[in-house]
Amino acid sequence: WIMPAVGLALAVAFHAVHNLGIALAAANALALLVAIMADWAGVVLLLIIVLLAWRQERRWIASELRSEVGRTLTPDEYAAAISYGRRLRLWFDTLGQGGLRAALRSSRHYHYLARLAFLKRRLGATRSDEPKATDLARAIEQVRTRLAEYGR
């Protein structure tokens, strides 16, 4: 509950500083600079939030897929699943060797690996006696089945 309130307060504050800077810009060029800086501070803050979320999701994927190595995926697939750069290089290699269809198939494969990781994370945060736990376990098995089909 706190973070959305903080986010809203920051958005209101940046917007107020921007509006004040624009209103005073006719009298003082420095005020225009303050307005522009307020705009860009919001953009930079948003990029920081995106990067932090991306890093957290990478940690979750690495943590949840570690136990799948040897069961659902190979060590090389695991390394690619936790590294955007490796997946991107793999995608271009696959595109060059197997064409667009093979590259898209590879993308779907890694999409299912990420889905598996997030389902496992949700299951780990759910009490085992909740009905949702059964649904999550079923969804995990469906994704594992789908991944096995891609392996063929």
Side-chain angles (χ1 to χ4, degrees):
W1 293 101
I2 292 173
M3 292 311 289
V6 169
L8 180 61
L10 283 172
V12 169
F14 279 121
H15 190 72
V17 169
H18 167 79
N19 285 349
L20 179 64
I22 293 299
L24 297 176
N28 186 347
L30 185 60
L32 179 62
L33 182 62
V34 169
I36 292 171
M37 287 176 56
D39 288 345
W40 281 103
V43 171
V44 169
L45 183 61
L46 183 63
L47 286 175
I48 290 170
I49 290 169
V50 167
L51 290 173
L52 290 173
W54 193 7
R55 194 170 93 187
Q56 180 60 50
E57 287 182 354
R58 182 178 184 262
R59 275 190 238 136
W60 288 340
I61 290 170
S63 171
E64 297 298 338
L65 290 184
R66 193 171 293 120
S67 63
E68 297 289 327
V69 174
R71 176 183 181 179
T72 308
L73 67 156
T74 67
D76 287 339
E77 288 173 322
Y78 175 75
I82 63 172
S83 169
Y84 180 72
R86 283 188 188 199
R87 277 194 317 279
L88 191 59
R89 283 191 301 276
L90 178 65
W91 190 86
F92 278 112
D93 289 346
T94 306
L95 179 65
Q97 294 172 3
L100 184 60
R101 175 175 260 153
L104 292 175
R105 185 176 173 90
S106 175
S107 292
R108 278 192 301 273
H109 178 75
Y110 285 101
H111 167 80
Y112 281 119
L113 286 175
R115 180 161 171 70
L116 176 62
F118 292 130
L119 285 168
K120 287 179 67 176
R121 173 116 180 115
R122 285 178 57 199
L123 180 61
T126 304
R127 288 193 343 251
S128 60
D129 61 340
E130 288 185 48
K132 184 170 69 170
T134 304
D135 294 340
L136 288 169
R138 193 174 307 125
I140 288 169
E141 288 310 313
Q142 289 172 346
V143 171
R144 283 183 177 137
T145 300
R146 184 66 117 169
L147 285 165
E149 291 171 2
Y150 273 98
R152 293 181 192 145

